C-alpha cells in the first residue's frame, strides 16, 4: 500500500493534468460536454481531496510535524477554503461563460499555490514520520475515496483555520494523555 505522501502527490499530478486538459479544450473551443467531462470530476476531487487531507493528513502533521507544522496547517486550510470558494463560484455560472472560466482560473491558481507549498513544506516535513504511520494513513486516505464517491455526505464548507488547528490540537492533547496515536479515530473531524 502506498503511503499518504505518495497518494497526495498522485492527486496533485492528476489535478495538474486535468487543468492542462481544460486549457487544451479552451484553446480548441470544444463543446460544453467535453469541458463538463473534465471539470465535473475535477471539481468533485478537489473538494474530496481537501476534506480527506483535513480529516487524515493535517491532524497527524500537527502531531508529528516540525515546529512550523501549525503555520503550514493554518495556511493549508486557508488554501483549501480558496479552492472550495473557486469550485462553488464556478458552479454558479454557465459552463464556458467568461465568469465560469474566471472562477476555474481562480480555483487553479489557489490549487497550484497550495500544492507547491504543501509539497515543499508539509509533505517534506512528514517524511520524518514513521513508515508504518505513513502507510496506515495511506490506507485511510485511499479508503476515504472509496467511501466518499461524491461530496453529498462530506463537509465542503470553509473552515476557520485557527478554529480547525485549535480543535485538532485539543484532540491531540487528549490523546497524548491517553497514550494513543488515535490513527483510526480521527474520522469525523
Amino acid at each position: 500500500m502506498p503511503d499518504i505522501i505518495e497518494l497526495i502527490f498522485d492527486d496533485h499530478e492528476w489535478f495538474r493534468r486535468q487543468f492542462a486538459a481544460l486549457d487544451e479544450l479552451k484553446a480548441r473551443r470544444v463543446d460544453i460536454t467535453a469541458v463538463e467531462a473534465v471539470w465535473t470530476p475535477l471539481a468533485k476531487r478537489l473538494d474530496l481531496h481537501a476534506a480527506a487531507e483535513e480529516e487524515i493528513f493535517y491532524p497527524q502533521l500537527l502531531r508529528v510535524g516540525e515546529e512550523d507544522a501549525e503555520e503550514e496547517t493554518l495556511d493549508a486550510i486557508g488554501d483549501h477554503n480558496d479552492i472550495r470558494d473557486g469550485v462553488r463560484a464556478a458552479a454558479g455560472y454557465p459552463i464556458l461563460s467568461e465568469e465560469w472560466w474566471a472562477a476555474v482560473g481562480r480555483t487553479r491558481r489557489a490549487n497550484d499555490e497550495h500544492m507547491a507549498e504543501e509539497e515543499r513544506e508539509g509533505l517534506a516535513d512528514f517524511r520524518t514520520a514513521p513508515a508504518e504511520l505513513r502507510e496506515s494513513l495511506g490506507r485511510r486516505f485511499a479508503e476515504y475515496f472509496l467511501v466518499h464517491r461524491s461530496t453529498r455526505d462530506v463537509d465542503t464548507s470553509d473552515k476557520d483555520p485557527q478554529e480547525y488547528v485549535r480543535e485538532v490540537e485539543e484532540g491531540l492533547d487528549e490523546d497524548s494523555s491517553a497514550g494513543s496515536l488515535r490513527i483510526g479515530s480521527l474520522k469525523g473531524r
Side-chain angles (χ1 to χ4, degrees), residues 14-26:
W14 187 81
F15 294 147
R16 289 180 177 103
R17 286 192 305 276
Q18 299 313 299
F19 279 114
L22 285 174
D23 289 343
E24 185 67 28
L25 293 171
K26 185 178 183 183

Side-chain angles (χ1 to χ4, degrees), residues 111-130:
N111 192 58
D112 286 350
E113 178 183 314
H114 170 67
M115 292 186 306
E117 290 174 346
E118 188 172 68
E119 290 169 6
R120 199 175 49 246
E121 298 168 358
L123 293 174
D125 289 351
F126 205 70
R127 292 194 184 284
T128 62

